[in-house]
Amino acid sequence: MMRLKVYADRMSQPSRAVLIFCKVNGIAFEEIKVDISKRQQLSPEYAEINPMQKVPSIVDGRFKLFESHAILSYLASAFPGVAHHWFPTDLSRRAKINSVLDWHHSNLRHGAVTFVVNTVLAPGVGLPLNSQLATEGEKLLSSSLSKLENFWLKGDGQFLLGGFKPSIADLSLVCEIMQLEVLDEKDRERILVPYKKVLQWIEDTRYATRPHFDEVHNILYKAKRKFQEKRSKQTNNETGPTDKITLPSKI
Amino acid sequence: MMRLKVYADRMSQPSRAVLIFCKVNGIAFEEIKVDISKRQQLSPEYAEINPMQKVPSIVDGRFKLFESHAILSYLASAFPGVAHHWFPTDLSRRAKINSVLDWHHSNLRHGAVTFVVNTVLAPGVGLPLNSQLATEGEKLLSSSLSKLENFWLKGDGQFLLGGFKPSIADLSLVCEIMQLEVLDEKDRERILVPYKKVLQWIEDTRYATRPHFDEVHNILYKAKRKFQEKRSKQTNNETGPTDKITLPSKI
């Protein structure tokens, strides 16, 4: 039997959610890296898999699928080994999980991506940092975190909608927030620290999906250190003397 | 038994999709108008129904739900009278419909709303028209229409994914595109006319959901005429003589 193929770049948060989901649930799959930094998602070969030229996508036998939420709900339904709490069959429970996931698109995801791209990532793909967009992104990101803290996480359990075990929505949204790791620490603290339940929920989701959560996020932790070193060098150059020999013309 | 309650404003495209769905499928419901032009969605009473303060939302007995895609899939599953084609139970078919709906959020919907708000609607809610955002909105809207024409509508049937009957994705996306009715006719033609399959699909969806489609869109057709009259007056004032007595200080 052909194994499930997952086309992903671990630097993409929806890719990470799908990979962690497969690993936690013991789904046998082949991970095929589509390197966004090399624009591999734009290749004609990949357009045959996903004409939208984004990651992640899956191929299950002859069946192709993209959009991470659709992938997660498909996998939860198609693989019998997946525990029930990930995507309960109860109609009203499932509808609530869908509601969180639909809300995610234009709120948490849109805010987080807009902010992170326009404060950190844009130069890496040849785009300028746009401070106006960064400000708008932070506003939407913060209001989304506030809705998580005060509405989605207000139930009895430690997960979304009062759950005692994580659903696909917990995994998807926590992976989204994890991209804030690459921010300047001051930005990250300003944005996240006010939301104590959100911080605890990230830890609970990480714990519930250990050790796969950290293994799949490892690339992000490395990127975080790289960006920190870059910022630290910039600060030294800007604010004080340095022992390094530098070219005056570049200062 | 308590009837289903649908909180909606027919000027909102996701509201229209939910209302048409209920009517076409003979679901008994009570429509409760939440007038966005009067900011009723921001009232404390409505926040009890939907803390995100948007329309539509539903109350089914003690069960509350918002986000139109989640509502449509819930209604298709919870009401036994709904025909199977709206949201087939076959796993791969359902996954594809979910993929279209997930794609919709950050593509067709984001592009259409950004363009229409920044060319027509913003002044009505006290915001300025932003031409840069309008340009970005049109770009995303046009690329989304192109994906509809060349990918989502490329199958055998006349509906999305090659379907011979409409699914909840057809209804949701067509209602989204219908908001272009309020545009200046030149803008609307420039954007829509290149996409012949999309135009035919709108007609097919309208026909498949008659007479409810036009009945629920009637408010939009009225708004279209109102905006046309307003534009026609502006043009007359700008380009030629007028018989009306006008205050010179305002010209």
PDB file of all heavy atoms in Angstrom, chain B residues 1 3 7-9 15 24-25 72 77 91 151 175 180:
ATOM      1  N   MET B   1     -41.504  22.676  19.984  1.00  0.00           N
ATOM      2  CA  MET B   1     -40.058  22.715  19.765  1.00  0.00           C
ATOM      3  C   MET B   1     -39.638  24.113  19.327  1.00  0.00           C
ATOM      4  O   MET B   1     -40.298  24.754  18.522  1.00  0.00           O
ATOM      5  CB  MET B   1     -39.673  21.703  18.664  1.00  0.00           C
ATOM      6  CG  MET B   1     -38.237  21.276  18.735  1.00  0.00           C
ATOM      7  SD  MET B   1     -37.868  19.933  17.574  1.00  0.00           S
ATOM      8  CE  MET B   1     -37.163  20.816  16.199  1.00  0.00           C
ATOM      9  N   ARG B   3     -37.900  26.842  17.276  1.00  0.00           N
ATOM     10  CA  ARG B   3     -37.375  26.918  15.917  1.00  0.00           C
ATOM     11  C   ARG B   3     -35.950  27.445  15.934  1.00  0.00           C
ATOM     12  O   ARG B   3     -35.553  28.207  16.808  1.00  0.00           O
ATOM     13  CB  ARG B   3     -38.252  27.864  15.086  1.00  0.00           C
ATOM     14  CG  ARG B   3     -39.347  27.118  14.353  1.00  0.00           C
ATOM     15  CD  ARG B   3     -39.870  27.950  13.213  1.00  0.00           C
ATOM     16  NE  ARG B   3     -40.365  29.250  13.695  1.00  0.00           N
ATOM     17  CZ  ARG B   3     -40.852  30.176  12.877  1.00  0.00           C
ATOM     18  NH1 ARG B   3     -40.889  29.965  11.566  1.00  0.00           N
ATOM     19  NH2 ARG B   3     -41.298  31.305  13.359  1.00  0.00           N
ATOM     20  N   TYR B   7     -29.496  34.800  13.033  1.00  0.00           N
ATOM     21  CA  TYR B   7     -29.198  36.226  13.194  1.00  0.00           C
ATOM     22  C   TYR B   7     -28.413  36.670  11.978  1.00  0.00           C
ATOM     23  O   TYR B   7     -27.311  36.144  11.718  1.00  0.00           O
ATOM     24  CB  TYR B   7     -28.397  36.458  14.482  1.00  0.00           C
ATOM     25  CG  TYR B   7     -29.187  36.139  15.729  1.00  0.00           C
ATOM     26  CD1 TYR B   7     -29.355  34.817  16.149  1.00  0.00           C
ATOM     27  CD2 TYR B   7     -29.799  37.147  16.480  1.00  0.00           C
ATOM     28  CE1 TYR B   7     -30.097  34.518  17.273  1.00  0.00           C
ATOM     29  CE2 TYR B   7     -30.542  36.855  17.612  1.00  0.00           C
ATOM     30  CZ  TYR B   7     -30.692  35.535  18.005  1.00  0.00           C
ATOM     31  OH  TYR B   7     -31.443  35.236  19.120  1.00  0.00           O
ATOM     32  N   ALA B   8     -28.965  37.611  11.233  1.00  0.00           N
ATOM     33  CA  ALA B   8     -28.373  37.925   9.932  1.00  0.00           C
ATOM     34  C   ALA B   8     -28.675  39.351   9.499  1.00  0.00           C
ATOM     35  O   ALA B   8     -29.632  39.970   9.977  1.00  0.00           O
ATOM     36  CB  ALA B   8     -28.923  36.947   8.889  1.00  0.00           C
ATOM     37  N   ASP B   9     -27.841  39.857   8.608  1.00  0.00           N
ATOM     38  CA  ASP B   9     -28.133  41.088   7.877  1.00  0.00           C
ATOM     39  C   ASP B   9     -27.973  40.719   6.405  1.00  0.00           C
ATOM     40  O   ASP B   9     -26.899  40.269   5.999  1.00  0.00           O
ATOM     41  CB  ASP B   9     -27.145  42.197   8.269  1.00  0.00           C
ATOM     42  CG  ASP B   9     -27.434  43.513   7.557  1.00  0.00           C
ATOM     43  OD1 ASP B   9     -27.954  43.482   6.413  1.00  0.00           O
ATOM     44  OD2 ASP B   9     -27.151  44.571   8.133  1.00  0.00           O
ATOM     45  N   SER B  15     -24.289  35.966   5.572  1.00  0.00           N
ATOM     46  CA  SER B  15     -25.674  35.904   6.060  1.00  0.00           C
ATOM     47  C   SER B  15     -26.597  35.411   4.961  1.00  0.00           C
ATOM     48  O   SER B  15     -27.453  34.542   5.183  1.00  0.00           O
ATOM     49  CB  SER B  15     -26.162  37.294   6.507  1.00  0.00           C
ATOM     50  OG  SER B  15     -25.504  37.731   7.664  1.00  0.00           O
ATOM     51  N   VAL B  24     -33.953  27.040   0.851  1.00  0.00           N
ATOM     52  CA  VAL B  24     -33.923  26.018  -0.199  1.00  0.00           C
ATOM     53  C   VAL B  24     -34.198  24.633   0.388  1.00  0.00           C
ATOM     54  O   VAL B  24     -34.842  23.798  -0.250  1.00  0.00           O
ATOM     55  CB  VAL B  24     -32.557  26.024  -0.927  1.00  0.00           C
ATOM     56  CG1 VAL B  24     -32.391  24.808  -1.816  1.00  0.00           C
ATOM     57  CG2 VAL B  24     -32.388  27.304  -1.745  1.00  0.00           C
ATOM     58  N   ASN B  25     -33.713  24.400   1.615  1.00  0.00           N
ATOM     59  CA  ASN B  25     -33.844  23.082   2.217  1.00  0.00           C
ATOM     60  C   ASN B  25     -35.064  22.935   3.133  1.00  0.00           C
ATOM     61  O   ASN B  25     -35.177  21.947   3.855  1.00  0.00           O
ATOM     62  CB  ASN B  25     -32.557  22.723   2.955  1.00  0.00           C
ATOM     63  CG  ASN B  25     -31.437  22.417   1.980  1.00  0.00           C
ATOM     64  OD1 ASN B  25     -31.467  21.415   1.285  1.00  0.00           O
ATOM     65  ND2 ASN B  25     -30.451  23.313   1.903  1.00  0.00           N
ATOM     66  N   LEU B  72     -23.122  26.316   7.956  1.00  0.00           N
ATOM     67  CA  LEU B  72     -23.643  25.561   6.808  1.00  0.00           C
ATOM     68  C   LEU B  72     -23.387  24.065   6.961  1.00  0.00           C
ATOM     69  O   LEU B  72     -24.271  23.241   6.700  1.00  0.00           O
ATOM     70  CB  LEU B  72     -23.013  26.083   5.504  1.00  0.00           C
ATOM     71  CG  LEU B  72     -23.467  27.484   5.060  1.00  0.00           C
ATOM     72  CD1 LEU B  72     -22.569  28.017   3.944  1.00  0.00           C
ATOM     73  CD2 LEU B  72     -24.929  27.466   4.614  1.00  0.00           C
ATOM     74  N   SER B  77     -25.757  18.765   8.309  1.00  0.00           N
ATOM     75  CA  SER B  77     -25.672  17.497   9.039  1.00  0.00           C
ATOM     76  C   SER B  77     -26.808  17.326  10.043  1.00  0.00           C
ATOM     77  O   SER B  77     -27.252  16.206  10.290  1.00  0.00           O
ATOM     78  CB  SER B  77     -24.332  17.419   9.792  1.00  0.00           C
ATOM     79  OG  SER B  77     -23.261  17.725   8.929  1.00  0.00           O
ATOM     80  N   LEU B  91     -15.943  10.741   2.464  1.00  0.00           N
ATOM     81  CA  LEU B  91     -14.806  11.435   3.089  1.00  0.00           C
ATOM     82  C   LEU B  91     -14.030  12.333   2.138  1.00  0.00           C
ATOM     83  O   LEU B  91     -13.723  13.481   2.459  1.00  0.00           O
ATOM     84  CB  LEU B  91     -13.811  10.406   3.644  1.00  0.00           C
ATOM     85  CG  LEU B  91     -13.969   9.985   5.084  1.00  0.00           C
ATOM     86  CD1 LEU B  91     -12.750   9.182   5.504  1.00  0.00           C
ATOM     87  CD2 LEU B  91     -14.129  11.223   5.982  1.00  0.00           C
ATOM     88  N   PHE B 151      -9.337  26.204 -12.146  1.00  0.00           N
ATOM     89  CA  PHE B 151      -9.117  25.021 -11.320  1.00  0.00           C
ATOM     90  C   PHE B 151     -10.408  24.502 -10.681  1.00  0.00           C
ATOM     91  O   PHE B 151     -10.857  23.400 -10.976  1.00  0.00           O
ATOM     92  CB  PHE B 151      -8.048  25.299 -10.259  1.00  0.00           C
ATOM     93  CG  PHE B 151      -7.822  24.128  -9.346  1.00  0.00           C
ATOM     94  CD1 PHE B 151      -7.244  22.959  -9.836  1.00  0.00           C
ATOM     95  CD2 PHE B 151      -8.211  24.170  -8.018  1.00  0.00           C
ATOM     96  CE1 PHE B 151      -7.064  21.857  -9.019  1.00  0.00           C
ATOM     97  CE2 PHE B 151      -8.036  23.068  -7.183  1.00  0.00           C
ATOM     98  CZ  PHE B 151      -7.459  21.915  -7.690  1.00  0.00           C
ATOM     99  N   CYS B 175     -22.391  33.675  -3.214  1.00  0.00           N
ATOM    100  CA  CYS B 175     -22.888  34.818  -2.431  1.00  0.00           C
ATOM    101  C   CYS B 175     -21.786  35.858  -2.224  1.00  0.00           C
ATOM    102  O   CYS B 175     -22.045  37.055  -2.220  1.00  0.00           O
ATOM    103  CB  CYS B 175     -23.455  34.359  -1.082  1.00  0.00           C
ATOM    104  SG  CYS B 175     -25.073  33.571  -1.228  1.00  0.00           S
ATOM    105  N   LEU B 180     -20.262  42.074  -5.663  1.00  0.00           N
ATOM    106  CA  LEU B 180     -19.703  42.942  -6.701  1.00  0.00           C
ATOM    107  C   LEU B 180     -20.802  43.733  -7.416  1.00  0.00           C
ATOM    108  O   LEU B 180     -20.524  44.682  -8.141  1.00  0.00           O
ATOM    109  CB  LEU B 180     -18.887  42.129  -7.709  1.00  0.00           C
ATOM    110  CG  LEU B 180     -17.729  41.284  -7.147  1.00  0.00           C
ATOM    111  CD1 LEU B 180     -16.965  40.608  -8.277  1.00  0.00           C
ATOM    112  CD2 LEU B 180     -16.774  42.130  -6.311  1.00  0.00           C
TER     113      LEU B 180
END
